[in-house]
Amino acid sequence: MEEQSVHENVVVSSWNEWDPLKHVIVGRADLCCIPASEPACDFVNEIPPDSEMRGMYGPRPLKSVEAANAQLDDFARILKDRGITVSRATPIHWNRATGTPDWSAETMTGCMPPRDVLLTVGREILEATMSNRSRWFEYLAYRPLLNRFFEEDPGFKWEAAPKPRLTDASFRRGYLSAEVTDEQRRQWVNDKVFVTTEEEPLFDAADVSRMGKDLFVQHSFTTNLKAIDWLRRHLPEHRVHAVNFPGDLHPIHIDATFAPLRPGLILSNPARQLPDEQKAIFEKNDWEIVLAAQPAHDTRPPLCEGSVWLSMNSLVLDTKTVCVEASEVYQQEQFERLGFEVIPVPFRDVYSFGGGLHCATADVYREGTCEDYFPRQ
Ligand code: DAV
């Protein structure tokens, strides 16, 4: 058998980002596309003029897909060698037009960052609404796995958040326009005015950081307050906190910004810090927030939408072991100083497909139970 669960009948369980990882989903780059411009995503217009994809949406260059898949396969092998069960996404033909009664989109995106779509909270996996039209159908890449977990694990709660309509009312027109100045952007982000509106609940799962009973959710381009309220009502046993990082002019997903490493320790992006009033809960409960090391690179790989801070997008295997991108030497040194064994994983070729080592995975099973790490609220 290719994959075997370590705990009989319990396939899905994960309460935080640090307990010993036993089963994980790793994405795939097959058939991934650069999506056409849409209200919440204008990547085509950001493609550098010297790129073969200049001005184009559609399938990413085959060579880049092969390079990314080689690193993803290697990462999967590294995890398996550590005794971790690895399940993989099932790609579909992303290069086709989709639509609903409310909109149509020229292509889909792909199934590289499973973290964006799947939110594992304890015995539940929740399919996020997503907030880009080109990512509306991405859950399909995980349905074969979720269906299998459902058959194997009688206690697995398979959930999907309300499918969003994503009409024009869900987006601020012109928000991403190249004509908007940085000063204006800074003001907007400071005022928590993002590209998505409060028309309906919208979230990407990667905006959620799981710390036992407490879930910290970044209010961002991809997650609105209505979704944070929805998560609060959906997970009544948890405390759901909205967090912001005003230094980030393009806030999308929390995991290159604010990453818990073990109980009591957070790695924080020095360029995107939590406002003082939001730090209170960590201080009150004696958590330490350390600033991440500088990235080893000052540029991003070709056709990459993420920032150089993917340097801190690491996968914690347990409270003593962490996977870090192989060329991110400063981040590795910092992890070693913090008492971690570092597993270097070459991953720069995957960055363009939507993120780093944390993005590229989604938890299925970690040991441990739901603990209260923030008794003082
Ligand atoms: O800052 O590059 C990347 C997160 C991708 N899921 C960043 C955000």
Side-chain angles (χ1 to χ4, degrees):
M1 231 163 87
E2 191 214 324
E3 292 160 5
Q4 215 169 18
S5 169
V6 278
H7 293 255
E8 208 184 342
N9 290 335
V10 177
V11 177
V12 176
S13 183
S14 174
W15 296 99
N16 57 49
E17 309 285 345
W18 57 74
D19 269 338
L21 182 67
K22 296 292 165 188
H23 186 173
V24 72
I25 298 172
V26 172
R28 288 190 193 276
D30 306 69
L31 309 167
C32 282
C33 289
I34 288 176
S37 296
E38 58 172 295
C41 170
D42 198 8
F43 187 40
V44 169
N45 278 331
E46 286 173 32
I47 295 173
D50 60 352
S51 165
E52 63 188 294
M53 288 295 291
R54 173 171 52 106
M56 283 168 59
Y57 62 83
R60 286 175 176 267
L62 185 57
K63 264 215 273 256
S64 72
V65 172
E66 286 170 347
N69 267 339
Q71 291 193 338
L72 283 160
D73 290 350
D74 225 37
F75 181 36
R77 188 188 47 73
I78 289 168
L79 295 171
K80 280 185 195 160
D81 286 350
R82 293 246 157 192
I84 297 166
T85 301
V86 177
S87 296
R88 303 297 299 271
T90 307
I92 60 175
H93 279 278
W94 304 112
N95 184 30
R96 52 177 285 181
T98 59
T100 71
D102 292 310
W103 50 264
S104 53
E106 285 84 346
T107 76
M108 293 173 276
T109 297
C111 55
M112 207 308 280
R115 188 74 61 179
D116 299 2
V117 188
L118 302 177
L119 179 63
T120 310
V121 179
R123 303 275 283 125
E124 167 174 336
I125 296 181
L126 173 66
E127 298 169 5
T129 66
M130 307 309 284
S131 48
N132 288 9
R133 291 172 181 169
S134 61
R135 304 192 70 179
W136 205 93
F137 288 100
E138 218 163 294
Y139 66 92
L140 292 174
Y142 306 101
R143 281 291 170 92
L145 286 175
L146 297 175
N147 195 43
R148 207 189 76 208
F149 300 161
F150 186 76
E151 288 167 359
E152 292 173 354
D153 178 351
F156 167 43
K157 272 184 78 179
W158 181 5
E159 296 272 0
K163 290 278 170 271
R165 292 192 67 167
L166 299 183
T167 66
D168 289 348
S170 286
F171 308 101
R172 284 196 174 79
R173 187 189 290 267
Y175 189 99
L176 298 178
S177 159
E179 269 129 61
V180 175
T181 61
D182 273 3
E183 195 188 341
Q184 174 70 79
R185 289 208 180 283
R186 207 157 286 133
Q187 189 62 47
W188 278 341
V189 165
N190 215 47
D191 296 342
K192 301 176 194 169
V193 171
F194 301 123
V195 65
T196 41
T197 66
E198 293 294 337
E199 175 73 10
E200 60 183 339
L202 294 178
F203 72 103
D204 283 8
D207 273 316
V208 183
S209 187
R210 304 162 306 138
M211 308 189 207
K213 196 171 166 60
D214 292 83
L215 304 174
F216 294 87
V217 188
Q218 180 182 220
H219 178 205
S220 69
F221 282 16
T222 36
T223 296
N224 63 13
L225 292 173
K226 205 177 246 180
I228 297 176
D229 189 21
W230 187 89
L231 285 165
R232 203 170 274 139
R233 298 190 209 183
H234 180 69
L235 298 164
E237 305 296 314
H238 289 261
R239 293 179 294 241
V240 177
H241 311 269
V243 288
N244 289 95
F245 304 91
D248 190 355
L249 298 189
H250 220 269
I252 290 178
H253 307 156
I254 197 168
D255 52 356
T257 299
F258 198 68
L261 305 180
R262 62 184 179 228
L265 185 63
I266 302 267
L267 190 66
S268 165
N269 187 319
R272 310 170 180 170
Q273 295 198 42
L274 198 62
D276 282 343
E277 69 275 12
Q278 293 182 28
K279 278 188 188 144
I281 182 171
F282 295 95
E283 289 162 355
K284 261 194 268 184
N285 290 282
D286 301 319
W287 279 63
E288 192 187 351
I289 300 179
V290 298
L291 298 183
Q294 282 300 306
H297 304 265
D298 50 21
T299 56
R300 308 180 284 178
L303 300 178
C304 178
E305 264 189 294
S307 71
V308 293
W309 290 104
L310 287 173
S311 57
M312 56 177 285
N313 190 273
S314 41
L315 183 69
V316 173
L317 302 189
D318 59 53
T319 54
K320 292 187 161 49
T321 319
V322 63
C323 294
V324 186
E325 207 286 320
S327 64
E328 295 294 347
V329 287
Y330 307 121
Q331 193 53 69
Q332 291 176 21
E333 282 164 17
Q334 182 181 31
F335 274 119
E336 279 163 1
R337 283 197 303 275
L338 291 168
F340 283 87
E341 178 203 344
V342 170
I343 305 170
V345 181
F347 221 59
R348 293 268 298 172
D349 292 338
V350 183
Y351 281 10
S352 311
F353 290 78
L357 295 158
H358 190 261
C359 308
T361 53
D363 284 27
V364 180
Y365 193 96
R366 285 184 193 262
E367 288 176 1
T369 51
C370 186
E371 305 277 337
D372 185 351
Y373 301 97
F374 299 89
R376 291 183 284 277
Q377 294 275 322

